[in-house]
Amino acid sequence: MANAAAKRQKFGSHLSVAGGFENAFHEGVDVGCDCLQIFVKNQRQWSAKPITDEQIAAYKQAESKTGIGPVVAHASYLLNLASPEAANREKSIKALIDELERCEALGVVGLVLHPGAHMGDGEAKAIKRISASLNKAHTATKGFKCRVLLESTAGQGTTIGHEVEHLGQIIDGVKQGDRLGICLDTCHLFAAGYDLRDSDAYEAMMQAMDASFGVDRIACIHMNDSKFDLGSRKDRHEHIGEGFIGRKGFVNVVNDARLADVPRILETEKGDDDKGRPYDKVNLDKLRRMVRG
Ligand code: ZN
Ligand code: MN
Ligand code: MN
């Protein structure tokens, strides 16, 4: 593992902040995370108590003590910036602003967001609504360092973001496009029909991304294998190498020089494997071993 490429790469996981933000950092040390993803509020509720100065201090102390970073956050699953109902859209924008404020207070560099779902109203309208909603959120968070990272999706239901072009179209409709980054998710891409296992298909996907939003914009990659086969449009994560993507797909991703500096985050199931080792540790070790010397 003494090679430069392997050393530079950052591997981490989405960890729980139950009992305090500092706990995610300490667990991160236990399982061997270089970087981290967290929730900055309960992801299944609309509102949350304001973040306190004590919480911020505890976060910053754990961050500097452990040296883990960068840290990204994942936004609430309830948000739908594409909702055809104006009231629901406004509620989502308000909640997004609140999450960005929390991230900014903590120094979290990016907030991963599912672009939204059109609910039967069609993709073109939804994409316009998402851009308009992001413009509002940007206006309310002037000068923030934390960027929204639009996540590629599996295409379950009526969700937007299963074609990489959707993400570029959203960015094109945003006034301050430089405030947006991209979060890829290997399971989502594969479920959406991008075959990460095949070198030619992988390269074609990267070219499509570069044409759509520029690969330099990719700021995070969720590393999840898939419980379902290529093009299933089902979002069900599996442990690394145990799903339909398999080792080959992840080898392509971790050895892509264009993505070498992008933090890689597991969103796979927690718990211990049959040898009693934490699954996060097992999955992180597997990924690190795939990096070519
Ligand atoms: Zn997500
Ligand atoms: Mn994800
Ligand atoms: Mn997912």
Side-chain angles (χ1 to χ4, degrees), residues 27-266:
E27 198 192 340
V29 171
D30 291 344
V31 296
C33 288
D34 307 310
C35 52
L36 208 56
Q37 179 174 279
I38 57 171
F39 290 123
V40 290
K41 62 180 277 290
N42 186 316
Q43 76 278 17
R44 304 196 187 278
Q45 285 170 18
W46 279 102
S47 59
K49 277 187 244 159
I51 204 158
T52 65
D53 290 345
E54 288 74 20
Q55 285 176 301
I56 296 169
Y59 175 100
K60 299 221 157 149
Q61 198 188 12
E63 183 183 36
S64 67
K65 205 174 152 191
T66 62
I68 292 176
V71 180
V72 297
H74 196 297
S76 166
Y77 299 126
L78 300 174
L79 308 194
N80 184 8
L81 299 185
S83 175
E85 289 172 45
N88 193 34
R89 222 155 56 230
E90 290 305 320
K91 199 176 176 184
S92 298
I93 296 166
K94 221 179 130 201
L96 176 62
I97 293 166
D98 175 59
E99 292 212 46
L100 281 169
E101 285 169 347
R102 286 165 184 270
C103 287
E104 194 70 6
L106 295 170
V108 166
V109 297
L111 177 64
V112 177
L113 175 74
H114 297 180
H118 66 69
M119 316 296 285
D121 222 20
E123 290 179 345
K125 272 189 193 168
I127 286 166
K128 286 209 177 85
R129 285 178 181 138
I130 296 163
S131 300
S133 300
L134 287 168
N135 278 331
K136 285 190 180 176
H138 281 162
T139 304
T141 57
K142 253 190 200 98
F144 275 32
K145 288 199 188 87
C146 179
R147 286 193 298 168
V148 169
L149 308 181
L150 298 170
E151 185 173 5
S152 66
T153 65
Q156 273 197 165
T158 65
T159 54
I160 302 297
H162 56 94
E163 290 175 17
V164 299
E165 288 78 9
H166 292 167
L167 304 174
Q169 286 159 11
I170 293 166
I171 295 167
D172 289 344
V174 168
K175 288 192 193 94
Q176 296 176 284
D178 55 332
R179 293 184 61 178
L180 295 173
I182 296 292
C183 175
L184 301 179
D185 183 310
T186 53
C187 169
H188 299 180
L189 288 168
F190 184 77
Y194 296 100
D195 193 349
L196 307 173
R197 304 166 299 192
D198 179 87
S199 299
D200 291 338
Y202 178 86
E203 192 51 35
M205 175 191 77
M206 290 300 290
Q207 295 298 331
M209 287 184 191
D210 206 34
S212 178
F213 50 72
V215 291
D216 288 351
R217 211 185 277 273
I218 301 167
C220 180
I221 309 179
H222 291 161
M223 303 295 272
N224 306 309
D225 211 327
S226 175
K227 279 192 195 291
F228 291 95
D229 208 348
L230 181 69
S232 68
R233 308 256 308 236
K234 285 188 187 137
D235 180 7
R236 295 284 306 281
H237 303 178
E238 181 55 277
H239 294 298
I240 303 298
E242 292 180 19
F244 280 89
I245 298 177
R247 188 175 186 280
K248 220 172 158 198
F250 292 99
V251 165
N252 282 334
V253 175
V254 300
N255 292 292
D256 186 334
R258 293 162 291 195
L259 303 176
D261 293 319
V262 181
R264 292 102 204 278
I265 301 284
L266 294 171

Side-chain angles (χ1 to χ4, degrees), residues 1-7 9 255 288-293:
M1 290 296 277
N3 70 84
K7 264 192 181 158
Q9 298 210 24
N255 292 292
R288 287 186 174 112
R289 280 198 303 269
M290 290 177 194
V291 183
R292 284 187 204 109

